[in-house]
Structures are given as C-alpha cells and as structure tokens.
Amino acid sequence: MTTFEQSRTYNTLLRTVSPHIFARLADGMERVDLPLKFVLVEDGVAPDHIHFLESGLGSVVATSSDEEAIEVGHLGREGASGMHVMLAVPTTPGRTFMQVAGSGIRVPTNEFTEAVVSDREAREFFLRYVHTTVLQLAHSALANARYSMQERLARWLLMCHDRLDGDNLTVTHEFLSLMLGVRRSGVTDHLHILEGRHAIRSTRGNIRILDREMLLDIAGGCYGVPEREYEKVLGLPTRVK
C-alpha cells in the first residue's frame, strides 16, 4: 500500500489544501498512469474517480447534439477532473480526456464527496477552484468571439505551456484544429506566422516555445485574467516551474 506525503505530491491542489483535508483524502488515493486519450470524464456518465493530475494535459471539450466539438478548458497539475460533483451534479454533458499523456492521483468520487460535504474548509477550497474553471470557460468564450485566430492560438499555446514541464508541446496540427474549431490549413498558416516571429518552432507532432514573452504580447488581453484569479484565490500560480 502506497503512503502519500503531501510534500511529495505534484498536484497544486493537493499540495495547497490544508494537511487535515489531505489526510482525509489520502486513504483513498491511488497513483495512476493517464495515457493519451484516456477519458477522465465521460459525457453523461458519473465519474468513479476524481483525478488530480501530476503531469500531462487534459482537455475539457463541449459537444453539441449534432456532434460539433470544441475545447473550452485545459486541465493540468494545477487542477482536478470531475469538479461538477462539487455542484451536486453527478453527470455533465461533454468530455474531459488526456490530450498529452501523463500521470496523476485518483480518489474515489464517493470518498471525495464525503470529505467536502463534511468539512466546510474543504468545500470552500474546492469551490474556489471551481470558480477558476468557470472563469477559464468564460474567457474561452470571450477569446472565440472577440479575438483573432492569431491571438487565440497564442493563448492556447500559453495555457499548454503553463501546465506542462519544459518548452515542448507534443500536439499535432490536426488536434489543434479540433481544439480551436478551425481548419487544419488555418492552424498551419498561423503556426508559420508565429515561427516567423521566432515565438515557436513547429515540427511534426511538436511545438517548441522559444519566446514566451512574444506569445504574451501576441495574445494580449485574451490571456491572463483566469491565471491571475487562480493565483489570487488559491495562492499558487498556474504556471509549472
């Protein structure tokens, strides 16, 4: 049986939560691999576990009744999957799945729910995290409606960079086109523009961040508000150091 120490976990929520809350959750913790395309939350299905990512990247995807889909949020080691249970909702439309393979710590949903129902501090802590996810979704809508493709792409790359170790993002142009809701050729054209400005280097299946400050400048106002709010209400930055 694995014994979990709070100081040796790599998920920001688990590192930040009060020790007595961590101890309450520790009995049900299990460290698991999260391969590419692993489903963390299935459309309309109550999750058996809450996953706290320690590495890798998850995508929260909204899907319409006629199967149109677009990414509305990111999930990395700053967060956890299945947070709709905090709102007393057992299932939710849409899916959350691993976009970049990684690993994490999972806790049975019933044990997590019991902990937050019985402990006010735990409930308020995780509701603050839910607040940051709602804000991220809102700013995804704002970006899609009011910002250019170039600005949206820079935002998306920054959000990935925040949640992954190092400067290499293992994503394909095809996946980018799905996540951004545009044609693959459009994604390729805009990646070439970013390369021309020496912000990134794009190769097959990989994008390397060369100049984060340049991406921040390009993204402008469509990046930053949810990230600052996360740091404000939870006490640690989104960006992986």
Side-chain angles (χ1 to χ4, degrees):
M1 179 178 175
T2 303
T3 300
F4 288 89
E5 297 180 29
Q6 189 169 13
S7 62
R8 295 187 178 182
T9 59
Y10 298 100
N11 177 272
T12 302
L13 294 176
L14 292 180
R15 276 207 327 272
T16 306
V17 72
S18 294
H20 80 275
I21 301 171
F22 182 89
R24 174 78 180 268
L25 295 173
D27 289 342
M29 288 181 185
E30 178 185 5
R31 188 166 269 116
V32 291
D33 290 329
L34 301 171
L36 179 67
K37 297 185 179 179
F38 179 85
V39 177
L40 301 167
V41 177
E42 184 59 274
D43 185 350
V45 178
D48 293 329
H49 294 87
I50 304 299
H51 288 84
F52 296 86
L53 271 63
E54 293 191 295
S55 64
L57 184 70
S59 287
V60 183
V61 177
T63 307
S64 68
S65 59
D66 53 1
E67 299 187 354
E68 293 290 342
I70 191 168
E71 183 182 70
V72 295
H74 278 167
L75 169 65
R77 66 176 57 165
E78 88 295 343
S81 67
M83 285 293 103
H84 57 278
V85 303
M86 286 296 304
L87 306 176
V89 179
T91 67
T92 186
R95 304 171 78 231
T96 303
F97 64 93
M98 294 301 293
Q99 176 188 138
V100 176
S103 62
I105 295 172
R106 70 180 189 180
V107 177
T109 302
N110 62 332
E111 294 185 26
F112 175 81
T113 302
E114 289 171 7
V116 298
V117 166
S118 62
D119 189 303
R120 178 178 176 179
E121 183 181 351
R123 186 165 60 254
E124 291 180 351
F125 176 84
F126 285 107
L127 282 173
R128 289 196 294 274
Y129 171 62
V130 171
H131 161 69
T132 69
T133 66
V134 172
L135 190 62
Q136 184 189 128
L137 187 154
H139 278 257
S140 292
L142 176 62
N144 289 340
R146 295 297 185 185
Y147 287 84
S148 71
M149 178 61 207
Q150 192 79 87
E151 292 163 330
R152 289 167 54 206
L153 178 57
R155 173 183 184 262
W156 194 92
L157 293 172
L158 287 164
M159 291 174 68
C160 290
H161 196 222
D162 287 342
R163 291 163 173 81
L164 294 169
D165 291 314
D167 295 323
N168 289 302
L169 313 179
T170 54
V171 293
T172 65
H173 293 196
E174 289 84 359
F175 195 86
L176 270 168
S177 68
L178 171 64
M179 295 301 96
L180 292 166
V182 297
R183 296 171 65 90
R184 182 191 182 282
S185 59
V187 169
T188 301
D189 290 344
H190 284 284
L191 286 171
H192 287 160
I193 293 171
L194 292 181
E195 284 190 290
R197 298 182 68 174
H198 306 292
I200 65 167
R201 180 180 297 118
S202 178
T203 56
R204 185 176 179 84
N206 186 79
I207 299 170
R208 180 170 179 80
I209 306 300
L210 300 178
D211 190 338
R212 182 178 171 91
E213 291 302 316
M214 176 66 74
L215 288 177
L216 288 167
D217 184 61
I218 294 167
C222 75
Y223 172 87
V225 173
E227 290 72 22
R228 288 190 293 272
E229 187 71 1
Y230 182 96
E231 185 167 2
K232 173 184 172 183
V233 303
L234 292 170
L236 287 173
T238 304
R239 174 81 177 105
V240 174
K241 301 299 184 184

